[in-house]
Amino acid sequence: MEEGRFMQWGVFRSLLAILQWWGFNVTVIIINKWIFQKLDFKFPLSVSCIHFICSSIGAYLVIEVLKLKPLIAVDPEDRWKRIFPMSFVFCINIVLGNVSLRYIPVSFMQTIKSFTPATTVFLQWLVWRRHFDRRIWASLVPIVGGILLTSITELNFNMFWFCAALFGCLATSTKTILAESLLHGYKFDSINTVYYMAPFATMILGLPALLLEGNGVVDWFHAHPAPWAALVIIFSSGVLAFCLNFSIFYVIHSTTAVTFNVAGNLKVAVAVLISWLIFRNPISGLNAVGCGITLLGCTFYGYVRHMISQQPPGTPRTPRTPRNKIELLPLVNNDKLDDKV
């Protein structure tokens, strides 16, 4: 009886973790799109900077004030030699994501972001000369095919913003790959990652946001009929972006690697559906099929990586395949944080 109740509680906890992760992720995506489209706040650099500021404050409160997470000590020299370059790539990743979100539908953007596994494997093979199991390459076929089908049938396709979203995927992949060498010896969770990287990202982005968008933000404030209410929504998106990081930590520690992978891809489908219900951007039948193929490909890719990671020692495996939940922790807010902030 006790064992059965423990199992039921474990299932309930996993389900609760997944639902709150979905809730924060989808809410951040939708509210950011709402800010750009409905509030007419067309300043992605400023939105990204606000997110970094809120995340910096949130991580400080969680670690230094509330003591909910222990601080992972980092050598001061390593902060500049290792974490600062990571923060720069992190900043580019988030900015390109928000820039793309301003101009293209949520459904198309989320599908493009699912291309990240393919860009990660390709960059490791092309630049770092790493060799991968044939099953890994095979699992990328439906991802690439789904992206191509979705792009060809996208009714609001724009090559420039498509490239911006694609470069966002490359930035995410570069961040993941660099983390293996730059952060070697440090096992960061999502909160410690934000604690160290968000202040650097704020410093990097603050001046460009002020110079490029400062006057526009002032003009928007004077022209908007309810600027203070709009600012509450904008800063709320920053608070939710930090909550998303905290929820990622919770869901990874409450589920298995396979469940996390499947839930992550289902989350994309939920985000696409809710965004369509709110913004009513047109989606053709073939476009939806392409999105579905991409998500199935991502799920298959995650399953293949998991199967390879379970092979006994001495069996050829994919380089740096995650072996436990700690190594699966994203070094950034994504996802998929990516996707997130």
Side-chain angles (χ1 to χ4, degrees):
M1 288 291 292
E2 290 296 328
E3 184 178 351
R5 290 178 181 176
F6 181 78
M7 290 291 293
Q8 289 179 354
W9 167 246
V11 173
F12 176 76
R13 182 186 177 189
S14 298
L15 181 61
L16 183 64
I18 290 172
L19 289 177
Q20 56 90 30
W21 175 43
W22 282 7
F24 281 123
N25 191 279
V26 173
T27 303
V28 168
I29 293 171
I30 299 301
I31 199 172
N32 282 357
K33 187 66 175 179
W34 185 276
I35 288 170
F36 294 134
Q37 187 168 320
K38 301 297 184 179
L39 298 183
D40 201 36
F41 190 82
K42 303 184 183 302
F43 309 104
L45 297 184
S46 299
V47 170
S48 301
C49 199
I50 290 172
H51 286 189
F52 293 144
I53 293 172
C54 292
S55 294
S56 300
I57 296 173
Y60 178 83
L61 291 175
V62 168
I63 293 176
E64 300 285 1
V65 179
L66 301 177
K67 307 293 184 181
L68 297 178
K69 285 292 299 176
L71 175 65
I72 297 176
V74 177
D75 186 80
E77 185 178 354
D78 283 345
R79 296 188 185 191
W80 289 99
K81 287 186 176 181
R82 297 188 180 191
I83 295 180
F84 182 78
M86 285 291 302
S87 301
F88 185 78
V89 180
F90 171 40
C91 186
I92 294 176
N93 174 37
I94 300 301
V95 169
L96 287 176
N98 281 331
V99 169
S100 303
L101 189 60
R102 174 187 168 184
Y103 292 101
I104 62 179
V106 173
S107 56
F108 190 35
M109 179 189 172
Q110 287 293 292
T111 306
I112 295 173
K113 288 181 74 65
S114 299
F115 195 56
T116 302
T119 56
T120 302
V121 171
F122 181 74
L123 281 177
Q124 287 182 311
W125 171 78
L126 181 66
V127 180
W128 280 267
R129 301 299 181 185
R130 293 188 174 180
H131 298 283
F132 290 87
D133 191 287
R134 291 180 180 178
R135 290 170 291 177
I136 290 291
W137 291 107
S139 68
L140 298 180
V141 173
I143 298 178
V144 177
I147 291 291
L148 290 175
L149 180 59
T150 303
S151 302
I152 293 173
T153 57
E154 172 58 44
L155 300 178
N156 296 313
F157 182 82
N158 181 292
M159 178 58 73
F160 183 80
W161 303 120
F162 168 78
C163 290
L166 195 59
F167 276 113
C169 290
L170 290 172
T172 303
S173 300
T174 303
K175 165 191 63 62
T176 303
I177 296 170
L178 288 178
E180 296 182 9
S181 56
L182 292 179
L183 300 183
H184 178 69
Y186 295 107
K187 289 188 176 181
F188 283 161
D189 54 53
S190 55
I191 303 302
N192 274 275
T193 299
V194 172
Y195 178 87
Y196 284 109
M197 291 190 184
F200 276 133
T202 304
M203 181 177 65
I204 293 169
L205 190 60
L207 185 59
L210 182 64
L211 294 177
L212 298 176
E213 298 180 348
N215 292 333
V217 171
V218 173
D219 294 339
W220 170 88
F221 183 84
H222 291 298
H224 198 278
W228 292 109
L231 284 177
V232 169
I233 296 176
I234 294 170
F235 276 91
S236 296
S237 72
V239 175
L240 289 171
F242 169 74
C243 292
L244 173 60
N245 285 284
F246 203 83
S247 69
I248 291 173
F249 167 79
Y250 179 48
V251 76
I252 288 178
H253 282 267
S254 302
T255 62
T256 64
V258 174
T259 302
F260 180 74
N261 174 262
V262 174
N265 290 301
L266 289 177
K267 171 183 60 64
V268 175
V270 172
V272 169
L273 176 61
I274 294 179
S275 69
W276 178 80
L277 292 174
I278 294 176
F279 300 105
R280 294 292 178 176
N281 55 286
I283 301 177
S284 66
L286 285 176
N287 190 265
V289 170
C291 180
I293 292 174
T294 302
L295 297 182
L296 288 175
C298 290
T299 303
F300 180 55
Y301 168 82
Y303 174 75
V304 169
R305 287 188 66 96
H306 175 74
M307 292 300 295
I308 293 175
S309 70
Q310 300 303 309
Q311 292 177 351
T315 305
R317 62 168 77 223
T318 302
R320 293 292 300 145
T321 301
R323 294 168 176 81
N324 53 50
K325 292 179 182 179
I326 295 297
E327 292 191 15
L328 280 167
L329 284 171
L331 291 167
V332 185
N333 94 352
N334 296 220
D335 281 189
K336 306 238 179 217
L337 202 171
D338 109 285
D339 47 4
K340 1 359 162 274
V341 182

